[in-house]
Amino acid sequence: MNTLKRVLADLDTVLHERGRLAIVAVLAAVESLTFTELRDELAMTDGNLSVHLQKLEEKGYVSITKHFVGRRPQTTCRLTPQGRRAFTRYLDLLQAIVHQGRAKAGA
Amino acid sequence: MDPLQANRNLELIRTLMERTTQYQLLTARAGLAAGCMAGLGALSFLVLDPRNPWQFGAVWGVVFAGSLTATLIGTVLRGRERGERVWSRPARAVLRALTPSLFAALAMTIFFFARGGEEYLWLPGIWMLCYGQGALATAAYAPRPIRSLGVAALLLGGLTLWLGPAWSVLMMGLVFGLGHIGLGVVLLVAERREGAVRLHRSVA
């Protein structure tokens, strides 16, 4: 049980929020996505997505670049190496929790 | 967080990552429709003459157009059903991967029909090779059964060329008819399983 407590204490609270976890999971599967693609992929509102992205950017997990395609502004989001490491760590922790639960059930 | 919730989060992550990279609007119904049309096309040569280029071209042209229409309708309906865009990033990636083999098949079709005689009867083997190559080119984005069908089409395309024109109609029925029906059945099973565990689309 102590091990489980230690694992839970290690959980990244920024990633643990469902919306932010979804953003990072989607960005982990591709090189980059535009703000619009990400919004449509996750069926989030502009405001909700902006808030989550800001939090992820502050933490250094996501990089956001703004540029113009023709005359239209475009925002591109990508996972940083730091974000990818945090995501991998988070997945490892989830798996550890699942394994511990199975082990406990089997005991 | 309890193990059940951890498992649910892992499932959500897997679904999101797969949905982002995989083209998932291909429907079992479209596969079954394409298979039935190809099967009927092959059977029509019990009455029609494959050595007549007009009849041969018309039958397989109708089968191709019908299969394409069934796929388009199936895709649009599935997109609406799931609330997903049809012209999505994975859809564009799949089309880009398919274009070279579609172009090769079209060029070879025109070439063999233009040469006259009965040389067009070699086309089924070539179509299968192009189809197999196209299916495998989409391997990074397509569901697993498509890859298996691609490998089978490549192998059977080679066999069709080796067997010669006399076997072309039968092989068309086998690969595009039974092959697509098999694909449709596998997709149908996968759709039912997915329907049972589908996660809510919105995560916001």
Side-chain angles (χ1 to χ4, degrees):
Chain A
M1 199 59 197
N2 282 339
T3 326
L4 184 60
K5 271 185 185 167
R6 241 190 349 262
V7 167
L8 288 174
D10 279 348
L11 264 183
D12 189 327
T13 48
V14 173
L15 280 187
H16 193 51
E17 200 285 325
R18 208 170 158 81
R20 287 195 288 272
L21 178 61
I23 293 170
V24 171
V26 166
L27 288 177
V30 293
E31 197 189 319
S32 66
L33 281 180
T34 65
F35 183 90
T36 317
E37 284 172 332
L38 198 53
R39 181 196 64 196
D40 294 345
E41 195 65 46
L42 297 170
M44 279 184 175
T45 61
D46 283 6
N48 204 354
L49 181 59
S50 292
V51 170
H52 285 318
L53 280 174
Q54 199 183 337
K55 195 120 188 169
L56 287 166
E57 193 183 24
E58 279 168 12
K59 188 81 179 171
Y61 289 172
V62 165
S63 75
I64 297 167
T65 48
K66 293 183 182 190
H67 52 99
F68 280 87
V69 177
R71 287 183 175 184
R72 302 180 71 181
Q74 195 171 71
T75 305
T76 305
C77 314
R78 69 183 76 225
L79 205 60
T80 62
Q82 192 186 337
R84 200 168 286 277
R85 276 195 298 276
F87 181 56
T88 310
R89 211 164 40 239
Y90 182 80
L91 289 179
D92 289 342
L93 283 170
L94 287 186
Q95 271 162 352
I97 294 169
V98 171
H99 286 150
Q100 285 207 10
R102 280 191 193 143
K104 205 175 156 188
Chain B
M1 180 165 47
D2 60 89
L4 203 67
Q5 197 192 341
N7 212 12
R8 270 201 302 268
N9 275 11
L10 283 170
E11 180 77 10
L12 171 76
I13 290 165
R14 190 173 67 87
T15 308
L16 284 169
M17 291 181 82
E18 277 182 1
R19 203 178 65 194
T20 311
T21 50
Q22 276 199 359
Y23 181 65
Q24 297 183 325
L25 294 181
L26 191 72
T27 64
R29 281 169 292 186
L32 290 170
C36 291
M37 275 186 267
L40 284 175
L43 286 175
S44 73
F45 287 106
L46 292 171
V47 183
L48 301 171
D49 182 11
R51 297 193 183 278
N52 179 328
W54 291 103
Q55 292 183 7
F56 185 89
V59 167
W60 295 122
V62 167
V63 167
F64 177 72
S67 303
L68 198 64
T69 308
T71 305
L72 285 174
I73 293 171
T75 301
V76 171
L77 291 178
R78 169 65 68 85
R80 279 189 190 161
E81 200 177 282
R82 289 187 169 193
E84 289 177 22
R85 282 182 309 150
V86 173
W87 192 234
S88 60
R89 222 171 38 81
R92 289 196 293 274
V94 164
L95 194 67
R96 268 198 304 272
L98 277 178
T99 302
S101 49
L102 275 175
F103 177 79
L106 180 70
M108 298 290 256
T109 303
I110 294 169
F111 174 76
F112 274 92
F113 272 107
R115 279 176 69 92
E118 289 184 354
E119 289 196 31
Y120 65 87
L121 286 170
W122 291 98
L123 277 170
I126 293 166
W127 288 336
M128 286 172 212
L129 290 176
C130 288
Y131 181 91
Q133 195 233 329
L136 289 178
T138 67
Y141 326 99
R144 191 172 290 274
I146 297 285
R147 290 171 238 180
S148 311
L149 185 60
V151 172
L154 275 180
L155 295 174
L156 292 170
L159 179 68
T160 305
L161 288 175
W162 184 73
L163 290 170
W167 290 77
S168 63
V169 170
L170 182 71
M171 292 303 282
M172 281 292 280
L174 186 71
V175 174
F176 292 112
L178 283 182
H180 277 126
I181 290 172
L183 173 74
V185 170
V186 173
L187 288 176
L188 199 64
V189 172
E191 279 174 15
R192 295 228 166 121
R193 202 180 321 131
E194 190 194 331
V197 294
R198 173 123 16 113
L199 292 157
H200 196 278
R201 180 173 160 70
S202 173
V203 290

